[in-house]
Amino acid sequence: MCGIVGYVGPKDAYDILIESLKKLEYRGYDSSGVALKTNDGIFIAKKKGRISELESDIMDVPTSHLGIAHTRWATHGAPKDENAHPHTDCTGTIAVVHNGIIENYRELKASLAQKGHKFTSETDTEVVAHLLEEYYQGDILSALFKILPLLKGAFALGIISLKEERILAVRQDSPLVIGLGSGENFLASDIPALLSHTKEFVIMENGQVADIRADHVDMYDFDGDDIPLKITHVDWDEAQAEKGGYDHFMIKEIMEQDQAIKNTLLGRVIDNHVILEELTPLQEKLQKTERIYITACGTAYHAGMVGAYLLRHMAGLDVEIEVASEFRYAKHHWHDNSIGLVISQSGETADTLQALRLMQADGIPVISVVNVLGSSVYREADASLLTQAGPEIAVASTKAYSTQLAVLYLFAIYMARLKGLLDNEAEKHILQELWNVPEKVRVVLNQAHTIREIAQDTYKTNDIFFIGRQLDYMLALEGSLKLKEISYIHSEAFPAGELKHGPLALVTSDTPTIAILMQEDIMEKTISNVSEVKARQGDVFVLAFERNKKALHDIGRWAFFVPDTLPLLGPLVGIPVLQLFAYYNAVLRGTDVDKPRNLAKSVTVE
C-alpha cells in the first residue's frame, strides 16, 4: 500500500503520472510502476526502488493518454520487481493498482488457479485483475460490480482496460480522491499528487465506485446506484497538502491511528478467532514455549512492556523484557523451550538487530513485530508479524506504537489460546472489544480541541510527572517520552506507588502530574497517590474511562474520559490522549514538532 495516481485526457499520460507520483514520495515506498493504455496494448513498467530507477529503466515511452501508476509499501510479498504494481490479468488487457489488504486473497487465488489462471506475483492485489478477467464480458464496470461482493478487507483500487477509455476507482477503508480538470480528469490516493493540475476534488467515501473519463465522472455505490458528485475546492499549497491540511506530519499520523489499528487487525480476526498464519512454521515450538525474551528500544520497548504484561497474565508465560542496548551485553542463562520477540518500527534499529542475532546464535528462534516488510529485522527473524501503520514521517512515533500494541494483543490472545488458557467465549469477548477499539480511538481524536485547552495551562511549565499502576504505568512511560521528545519539557513517569519513595520530593505547585486511572481493580490505590500530590499543591490531570466520570470528575484540575472498554485495552484507547497532549504542548512552545532536536527516525547506530 502507498500511492496511487491516474490520468485520462488529451495530454501525455506518462509525464503526468510520473510527476504526480513523485509528489507522493514523502509517504515512503519500496517500488513503483506504471500502466499505459496504448494502441499496441497495455504497456507495463515496474521496478523495485526509487521512481528515478523506474524512469531510468524505461528506454522508450509509448504515446498514451490514459494510465495508472503506483508506489508500493510492501505488505504481501517482498519488495521486488514482480511484486510491484500495476498487476495484470492473464491476457494483459486489464491492469490494477491497489492500496490496502484483500483479506481473503488466498481463497480467491486458489479458486482462480483451479480455473487455469496463472499468477506471477506473491501479492494479494493480483487476484483483483484475474477476478475482473473472469467476469469481463465487454464492460469493465459491470465486471467490477460482480467482483466487489467477493472482496473482503480494505482496498483503494485503480483499474484500466485496454478496450475502454476510462479509469475505474473503488474506495473501501483506504483513501482516494478524484481531481477534476477541463477535458481531463485525475485519480490519486492523496491530494498533493494533483495540486499542480487542479484545485477541484471529489473525495471518495467508503463504499463508492467512480467511473472516470476525460469529459465526465460518474459515481456509484457498491450496488450500482448513482451518487451525486460532491466537489471540494482546495486552497492548500503543496507543503500543506502533503500533511493532509494539518500543520505537521505528527498530528496527521496521530489522526490516522484509528485506520492504522483497523488495518493491522484486518485478516487476523476471523470468526472470533485470532489467525496468525505467519507463525504456522513455529506453531509446534510455540505450543511448548515456557519463556519469552522481549527486547526493543524507545517507544517499541514501551509497547514490549505491554506485550510482556499480556503474555504473563493471559498466556501464563514467564517473560523477560530488557532494553536492546542492555540486552546485548547482559549475561543470559537461556531456558529450554524459549523464544525471542523483538519489536522495531523501521526494522533497522541497530541494537534490536544485534539482540536478534545474539538470540539466534544461541539457538533461540525469534519473532519480530515490525512495520517494514523487507527490512533487516523482518528478513532475519524466524517469523515476522507486520504492523500496518504505513509510512511514518514524524520522528516521534505515534501510529507505529499503537499498531505494535494491536499486534501484541493479537499475539497474546493467540498464545493464550494455544496454551489452552482462553476458551471460545473469552476469546470472542476480547476480540469483539478489540475490534471496536478503532471506533473508540476516533471518538478520542475528535476531541483533540479539549486536550489543546488543557495544554494551554501546562506548556509553560518546566516539569511534568506521569503516574499509573500496571498497564497504566506502561502507558505513562510512553506519554512521558512523547512529551520530552517534542516539547522539551522535562517529564518522568513513575509507578504510582513509588511516589512516596522519592519522587514526591519533587512535587510542587509548579509541577503538574498526569494520573492514569484505567486499571479499575487498583484504581483506589492510585487515587490515594493522587491525594498525595494534591496535598503538596500539585495540579493533577486525570485520564480514565467514561464510566468513572461521576466518581472522578472532581479529583483533578483537568480530566479526560475515554470511551469505555476492557481495562486490558486501556493503553490502546488512552495513548492518543497523551500523544495529543505532547503535541499541543510542543506547538504552543514553538518547537520543531516533526524533527525534534538531536533525534533521528531510525537509529541505525549503537
Side-chain angles (χ1 to χ4, degrees):
M1 63 173 67
C2 204
I4 289 173
V5 295
Y7 174 76
V8 54
K11 299 172 185 172
D12 182 87
Y14 174 78
D15 288 344
I16 291 172
L17 293 172
I18 292 296
E19 172 211 335
S20 300
L21 213 55
K22 287 179 178 178
K23 300 289 179 60
L24 298 177
E25 284 192 290
Y26 72 93
R27 295 161 64 98
Y29 64 100
D30 52 57
S31 60
S32 61
V34 61
L36 303 171
K37 181 181 178 295
T38 76
N39 292 332
D40 298 321
I42 292 185
F43 170 84
I44 299 283
K46 50 188 184 177
K47 185 79 172 174
K48 176 185 174 182
R50 313 304 294 173
I51 295 171
S52 58
E53 295 176 65
L54 173 69
E55 291 181 281
S56 299
D57 210 45
I58 302 174
M59 303 306 295
D60 188 16
V61 180
T63 300
S64 172
H65 303 289
L66 188 156
I68 51 178
H70 190 265
T71 50
R72 179 176 187 252
W73 175 273
T75 55
H76 292 80
K80 51 187 179 181
D81 293 356
E82 55 264 41
N83 289 332
H85 297 210
H87 291 285
T88 61
D89 66 327
C90 295
T91 68
T93 61
I94 296 171
V96 177
V97 291
H98 166 224
N99 286 346
I101 302 165
I102 307 297
E103 289 185 55
N104 59 333
Y105 84 98
R106 293 179 181 86
E107 305 96 281
L108 295 171
K109 188 173 184 177
S111 174
L112 288 162
Q114 286 182 341
K115 296 176 181 179
H117 289 263
K118 304 296 182 184
F119 292 83
T120 60
S121 79
E122 304 164 304
T123 69
D124 56 332
T125 302
E126 193 180 355
V127 299
V128 178
H130 289 276
L131 281 172
L132 289 167
E133 176 191 1
E134 186 71 19
Y135 285 90
Y136 186 73
Q137 294 180 332
D139 182 78
I140 192 71
L141 183 61
S142 296
L144 177 60
F145 282 126
K146 289 175 183 175
I147 76 164
L148 284 175
L150 305 177
L151 302 178
K152 296 179 181 179
F155 42 90
L157 299 171
I159 301 162
I160 62 172
S161 167
L162 178 63
K163 302 175 183 179
E164 302 175 51
E165 293 292 322
R166 61 181 10 168
I167 300 171
L168 299 185
V170 183
R171 174 180 175 164
Q172 183 61 41
D173 287 328
S174 197
L176 278 179
V177 299
I178 300 162
L180 303 177
S182 177
E184 60 183 0
N185 287 305
F186 309 83
L187 174 69
S189 52
D190 209 349
I191 288 171
L194 306 179
L195 273 180
S196 61
H197 298 285
T198 182
K199 300 285 188 181
E200 306 297 322
F201 291 89
V202 176
I203 299 172
M204 294 184 68
E205 298 180 7
N206 281 344
Q208 291 187 344
V209 173
D211 181 359
I212 306 168
R213 302 177 188 246
D215 57 355
H216 70 280
V217 175
D218 294 318
M219 298 283 292
Y220 307 93
D221 62 23
F222 278 12
D223 294 322
D225 295 327
D226 291 342
I227 298 173
L229 296 186
K230 295 181 181 178
I231 300 172
T232 300
H233 179 80
V234 173
D235 285 324
W236 301 338
D237 61 32
E238 293 187 33
Q240 276 182 300
E242 286 185 0
K243 302 180 181 78
Y246 293 104
D247 291 334
H248 302 95
F249 281 111
M250 184 177 178
I251 185 63
K252 177 177 183 286
E253 289 158 8
I254 290 171
M255 292 296 178
E256 291 173 343
Q257 283 181 108
D258 56 328
Q259 188 61 53
I261 295 168
K262 185 174 182 179
N263 288 345
T264 299
L265 299 178
L266 280 169
R268 290 165 162 164
V269 180
I270 300 174
D271 296 330
N272 294 311
H273 292 297
V274 173
I275 307 297
L276 298 177
E277 293 182 350
E278 306 95 319
L279 301 185
T280 300
L282 292 178
Q283 186 166 325
E284 186 176 340
K285 176 70 176 177
L286 290 169
Q287 285 177 321
K288 298 176 182 177
T289 294
E290 297 174 359
R291 173 168 290 194
I292 296 181
Y293 299 92
I294 300 178
T295 188
C297 301
T299 285
Y301 175 74
H302 295 155
M305 292 181 72
V306 174
Y309 179 96
L310 298 172
L311 288 163
R312 290 184 188 116
H313 287 258
M314 297 177 66
L317 292 163
D318 184 9
V319 185
E320 289 189 14
I321 178 166
E322 192 167 10
V323 173
S325 57
E326 294 293 312
F327 186 93
R328 292 180 57 188
Y329 302 107
K331 185 172 183 178
H332 298 285
H333 302 284
W334 305 117
H335 288 248
D336 293 337
N337 298 324
S338 296
I339 63 164
L341 180 68
V342 301
I343 307 167
S344 169
Q345 185 278 136
S346 67
E348 303 295 345
T349 311
D351 289 312
T352 304
L353 187 56
Q354 291 302 322
L356 180 156
R357 291 168 178 165
L358 172 66
M359 286 188 276
Q360 287 179 327
D362 287 341
I364 305 293
V366 178
I367 297 169
S368 74
V369 175
V370 63
N371 194 43
V372 183
L373 188 153
S375 62
S376 297
V377 167
Y378 176 87
R379 294 194 314 272
E380 296 188 29
D382 296 274
S384 290
L385 295 171
L386 278 169
T387 58
Q388 299 293 347
E392 196 178 57
I393 308 300
V395 167
S397 182
T398 53
K399 62 179 181 173
Y401 171 78
S402 55
T403 55
Q404 287 166 355
L405 289 184
V407 166
L408 291 167
Y409 279 101
L410 293 174
F411 180 58
I413 294 167
Y414 174 90
M415 289 299 295
R417 184 62 186 261
L418 210 57
K419 294 291 186 180
L421 298 177
L422 201 64
D423 61 28
N424 287 340
E425 284 305 308
E427 183 178 17
K428 178 180 178 180
H429 178 57
I430 295 172
L431 288 175
Q432 286 177 339
E433 289 289 332
L434 183 58
W435 191 253
N436 288 331
V437 161
E439 180 183 342
K440 297 176 191 295
V441 167
R442 174 46 51 190
V443 171
V444 172
L445 296 174
N446 287 342
Q447 299 178 69
H449 61 281
T450 301
I451 301 167
R452 183 185 177 95
E453 290 172 3
I454 295 169
Q456 291 278 1
D457 277 354
T458 59
Y459 78 96
K460 292 181 180 179
T461 192
N462 294 318
D463 306 280
I464 295 182
F465 297 143
F466 291 73
I467 62 171
R469 290 172 181 258
Q470 301 291 306
L471 287 171
D472 290 348
Y473 165 59
M474 298 163 197
L475 179 57
L477 285 166
E478 178 59 15
S480 174
L481 177 62
K482 282 289 132 332
L483 184 68
K484 69 181 70 170
E485 279 182 317
I486 62 170
S487 74
Y488 315 146
I489 295 173
H490 169 253
S491 67
E492 300 292 340
F494 308 106
E498 285 295 297
L499 267 181
K500 54 187 172 292
H501 296 288
L504 202 56
L506 300 174
V507 173
T508 70
S509 59
D510 297 322
T511 313
T513 296
I514 315 299
I516 305 172
L517 293 154
M518 290 191 285
Q519 302 311 300
E520 293 163 325
D521 58 332
I522 48 175
M523 187 170 70
E524 290 300 324
K525 298 291 186 183
T526 308
I527 290 173
S528 295
N529 303 128
V530 169
S531 298
E532 294 170 350
V533 172
K534 293 174 69 175
R536 276 78 182 173
Q537 287 75 52
D539 286 329
V540 176
F541 166 28
V542 168
L543 174 58
F545 287 119
E546 183 72 28
R547 57 179 169 256
N548 295 312
K549 188 172 185 176
K550 184 175 181 180
L552 299 175
H553 76 280
D554 61 351
I555 193 173
R557 178 175 174 184
W558 318 276
F560 192 96
F561 297 98
V562 299
D564 294 339
T565 188
L566 301 176
L568 194 71
L569 299 175
L572 265 177
V573 294
I575 189 56
V577 178
L578 302 185
Q579 292 167 346
L580 288 166
F581 180 73
Y583 173 76
Y584 286 121
N585 273 279
V587 168
L588 290 166
R589 289 169 69 93
T591 66
D592 189 346
V593 174
D594 286 335
K595 298 177 181 178
R597 67 191 183 201
N598 306 329
L599 300 178
K601 183 63 180 170
S602 181
V603 183
T604 57
V605 295
E606 296 184 38

